[in-house]
């Protein structure tokens, strides 16, 4: 099984929880993409009806539109029945790191508004503690004086050997710009940054910060697909 096969297995398993008439948060990324495609397929087969999708990015908006999923937004649907989305890291308490695709703000808004948030991952995303994969912890910041904000973020976590890097578009030095017109600073940690809530609050207190990629106590279910099968972890 390839990693993409595992992503697809997890995504299809999550879509089994979708019922006709639901308002659905549609996630972003290579795993969530399979869920969006599957929902569109079931709608076209008449096996699902009366679904309203709330996309978490412009990319997902376009994919869902093409898949024939009727779309709306949080202004019209402030309560979402179920959101399905991927994650970059999942710890044993179902806390997540998300945002390596750059959609963390809209994802956190949609997933924060839903009754159930089902996370779909292949088993490579499981970590013992957030920040442990050595991969990026994204923070969305305003473009104004981004160096100032990035250096304050780096200093905040200097004891964890943090390095803050502005996310740029592949290959060129242009800053990556989010759907909301902001920049992303990726934080890389050499060691654990300690208490998640303290870290989360500390980051959000910086005036130039819009949102960060730690999704604490938000997931209600995590579906993990691995070589040995699929496991469902409930909060
Ligand atoms: O950017 C995001 O938040 C994505 O959901 C990410 O966390 C998972 O992306 P992947 O399914 O492509 O690994």
């Amino acid at each position: 099984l390839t990693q993409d096969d595992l992503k697809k297995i997890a995504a299809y398993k999550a879509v089994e929880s979708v019922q006709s008439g639901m308002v659905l948060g549609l996630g972003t990324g290579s795993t969530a993409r399979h869920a969006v495609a599957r929902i569109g397929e079931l709608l076209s087969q008449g096996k699902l009806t009366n679904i309203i999708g709330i996309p978490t990015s412009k990319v997902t908006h376009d994919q869902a539109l093409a898949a024939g999923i009727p779309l709306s937004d949080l202004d019209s649907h402030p309560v979402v029945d179920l959101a399905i989305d991927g994650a970059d890291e999942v710890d044993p308490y179902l806390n997540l790191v998300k945002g390596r695709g750059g959609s963390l703000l809209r994802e956190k808004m949609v997933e924060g508004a839903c009754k159930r948030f089902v996370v779909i991952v292949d088993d490579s995303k499981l970590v013992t503690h957030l920040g442990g994969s050595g991969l990026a912890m994204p923070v969305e910041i305003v473009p104004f004086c981004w160096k100032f904000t990035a250096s304050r973020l780096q200093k905040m976590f200097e004891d964890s050997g943090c390095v803050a890097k502005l996310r740029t578009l592949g290959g060129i030095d242009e800053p990556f710009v989010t759907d909301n017109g902001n920049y992303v600073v990726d934080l890389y940690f050499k060691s654990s940054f300690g208490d998640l809530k303290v870290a989360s609050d500390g980051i959000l207190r910086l005036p130039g910060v819009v949102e960060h990629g730690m999704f604490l106590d938000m997931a209600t279910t995590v579906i993990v697909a691995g070589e040995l099968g699929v496991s469902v972890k409930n909060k």
Side-chain angles (χ1 to χ4, degrees):
L1 287 170
T2 67
Q3 188 180 28
D4 194 55
D5 292 336
L6 296 178
K7 292 179 179 201
K8 193 169 182 177
I9 290 165
Y12 278 43
K13 179 73 180 167
V15 173
E16 289 174 14
S17 304
V18 176
Q19 292 155 21
S20 292
M22 277 188 166
V23 176
L24 290 179
L26 303 177
T28 299
S30 61
T31 312
R33 188 171 50 233
H34 287 303
V36 171
R38 179 65 174 156
I39 291 161
E41 186 182 31
L42 295 174
L43 276 171
S44 67
Q45 294 167 353
K47 291 178 181 166
L48 272 180
T49 57
N50 301 324
I51 292 291
I52 292 179
I54 313 289
T56 54
S57 66
K58 290 179 181 175
V59 167
T60 296
H61 173 276
D62 295 348
Q63 183 204 356
L65 205 59
I69 302 172
L71 297 178
S72 185
D73 62 24
L74 289 175
D75 286 344
S76 308
H77 296 276
V79 178
V80 175
D81 295 306
L82 169 69
I84 299 174
D85 200 353
D88 299 302
E89 292 184 357
V90 181
D91 80 1
Y93 308 97
L94 309 195
N95 293 310
L96 318 171
V97 168
K98 284 177 58 50
R100 273 185 211 131
S103 320
L104 64 123
L105 175 62
R106 296 192 183 191
E107 289 173 337
K108 198 176 268 191
M109 288 176 72
V110 172
E111 283 139 25
C114 61
K115 297 173 190 166
R116 284 192 63 208
F117 174 22
V118 177
V119 176
I120 48 179
V121 292
D122 64 273
D123 55 3
S124 73
K125 308 299 187 64
L126 301 182
V127 295
T128 53
H129 61 277
L130 295 193
S133 69
L135 299 173
M137 157 74 73
V139 182
E140 183 158 338
I141 67 170
V142 296
F144 172 73
C145 287
W146 66 265
K147 284 185 190 137
F148 171 69
T149 304
S151 61
R152 293 182 83 189
L153 283 166
Q154 182 162 297
K155 183 138 182 60
M156 182 180 286
F157 296 105
E158 62 186 350
D159 297 346
S160 310
C162 176
V163 174
K165 286 188 185 143
L166 179 74
R167 187 178 296 186
T168 55
L169 290 174
I172 50 176
D173 265 356
E174 280 298 299
F176 167 82
V177 178
T178 69
D179 286 348
N180 319 298
N182 296 315
Y183 287 174
V184 172
V185 165
D186 285 312
L187 303 181
Y188 296 87
F189 297 95
K190 289 195 179 54
S191 59
S192 168
F193 46 76
D195 183 274
L196 298 178
K197 188 78 177 66
V198 167
S200 169
D201 293 344
I203 293 171
L204 291 175
R205 257 201 303 275
L206 290 179
V209 167
V210 177
E211 191 49 79
H212 61 64
M214 282 186 280
F215 285 48
L216 308 181
D217 203 22
M218 289 181 68
T220 49
T221 300
V222 175
I223 297 175
V224 186
E227 284 298 324
L228 302 177
V230 184
S231 70
V232 179
K233 302 167 188 262
N234 289 305
K235 193 78 182 160

